[in-house]
Amino acid sequence: MAEMTVTVAAAKSTLRTCPGARRAAVLGRWMPLAPAAPANLKLFSPAVRVPRATSPAAVEDGSNTDIVPIPKVIIDQDSDPDATIVEITLGDRLGDLLDTMSALKNLGLNVVKASVCLDSTGKHIKFAITRAFTGRKIDDPELLEAVRLTIINNMIQYHPESSSQLAMGATFGPEAPTEEVDVDIATHIDIYDDGPERSLLVVETADRPGLLVDLVKIISDISINVQSGEFDTEGLLAKAKFHVSYRGRTLTEALQQVLSNSLRYFLRRPTTEDASF
């Protein structure tokens, strides 16, 4: 891991355009260090502790402006068959995140690739991570959630101004969000056919700790298989895309309705009437 830190920090020789951006710069190439193999998400595992960064290293610091950008953390299980891709954005304020990589190592993970991209929206840092003892991408929702919370925790620690922009600020940060998201209004659930063998489930709702694990559990509890997906944290909201199937086939309309109703029941805001029974 120490070699990875030095390599990523030193990779500054190549400039190229970010995907989808007209004017952008990339500092460093993808740096492949180890191969791995894909795997479907599994549901159960021992609880994973979220470690905090041990020292506020200067490399975590970036530039500052008066307007606090919307923090984004994307966990992508689709784009790379061999690794879990994590993308982190906080305008142009992020540094090299060496301490964040160290915190991920404490979760039993290896950062096998890394890149830094600059575009009009800010600085995008991507990590490709695998489990250290298997060399494979992460297939455990609890560990994926631990990765997400670890990154957000480190972001708040080194950039406390982001605390009020994140739902996790109420849990980890010095300042809770100033506005509260109405779960009933913010929650959107859509299901589309994605070929003959799977469907695409899209969920947008208010973010909170443990949400990724809970979503996968709800889906699995009605015997639907989660094959892969993407989970995005954008400020106070969470946006999830899951490829799902039932017995190797796309979801029927009836099963889509059952899944949608189950998710809405779980995600909706508790009411006084509900609490009375």
Side-chain angles (χ1 to χ4, degrees):
M1 188 63 187
E3 294 180 358
M4 180 62 195
T5 299
V6 173
T7 302
V8 174
K12 299 180 180 178
S13 58
T14 302
L15 296 178
R16 56 185 174 84
T17 303
C18 294
R22 294 183 177 180
R23 294 184 180 180
V26 169
L27 307 181
R29 302 172 182 268
W30 275 114
M31 302 291 293
L33 298 182
N40 288 342
L41 288 177
K42 300 177 182 177
L43 179 59
F44 300 107
S45 74
V48 179
R49 180 180 64 86
V50 178
R52 291 180 179 267
T54 55
S55 61
V59 293
E60 294 280 341
D61 296 332
S63 61
N64 289 302
T65 59
D66 292 335
I67 301 176
V68 179
I70 299 298
K72 295 182 182 180
V73 177
I74 298 173
I75 297 179
D76 178 8
Q77 292 284 82
D78 281 336
S79 62
D80 192 317
D82 299 324
T84 298
I85 306 300
V86 175
E87 181 175 340
I88 310 167
T89 307
L90 184 62
D92 62 353
R93 302 186 178 206
L94 295 178
D96 291 328
L97 301 187
L98 303 183
D99 212 58
T100 296
M101 285 195 287
S102 177
L104 293 176
K105 180 180 179 182
N106 291 337
L107 291 175
L109 303 171
N110 285 333
V111 179
V112 296
K113 301 177 185 178
S115 72
V116 181
C117 172
L118 298 176
D119 65 14
S120 60
T121 66
K123 187 174 185 179
H124 303 260
I125 297 181
K126 284 188 178 182
F127 297 144
I129 55 180
T130 61
R131 305 193 73 162
F133 70 94
T134 64
R136 297 176 181 270
K137 70 191 304 180
I138 303 170
D139 61 358
D140 176 7
E142 290 190 6
L143 184 52
L144 288 171
E145 179 70 354
V147 168
R148 186 172 80 100
L149 296 184
T150 296
I151 292 171
I152 292 174
N153 174 55
N154 272 27
M155 181 183 292
I156 292 174
Q157 180 176 352
Y158 292 103
H159 300 277
E161 71 277 10
S162 68
S163 177
S164 62
Q165 301 287 328
L166 288 160
M168 304 301 177
T171 304
F172 300 136
E175 183 180 355
T178 55
E179 60 180 285
E180 183 177 346
V181 176
D182 188 316
V183 177
D184 295 333
I185 296 176
T187 298
H188 304 279
I189 300 170
D190 297 289
I191 304 174
Y192 310 94
D193 288 340
D194 189 22
E197 298 181 353
R198 67 182 188 178
S199 299
L200 178 64
L201 168 65
V202 181
V203 180
E204 179 175 339
T205 191
D207 192 24
R208 60 170 178 75
L211 181 60
L212 192 159
V213 175
D214 289 337
L215 288 175
V216 174
K217 185 178 188 304
I218 293 166
I219 298 168
S220 300
D221 281 348
I222 54 178
S223 302
I224 294 176
N225 180 47
V226 180
Q227 298 177 346
S228 62
E230 178 180 312
F231 193 93
D232 301 353
T233 304
E234 295 187 15
L236 303 179
L237 298 177
K239 302 177 181 180
K241 294 185 293 184
F242 296 119
H243 294 291
V244 296
S245 64
Y246 179 71
R247 297 181 178 178
R249 304 295 296 177
T250 187
L251 305 188
T252 63
E253 289 187 11
L255 193 53
Q256 288 183 20
Q257 190 63 50
V258 170
L259 176 57
S260 179
N261 290 344
S262 298
L263 289 168
R264 287 187 187 280
Y265 178 81
F266 171 78
L267 294 172
R268 69 193 176 110
R269 181 178 55 204
T271 63
T272 303
E273 183 178 356
D274 292 335
S276 300
F277 292 93

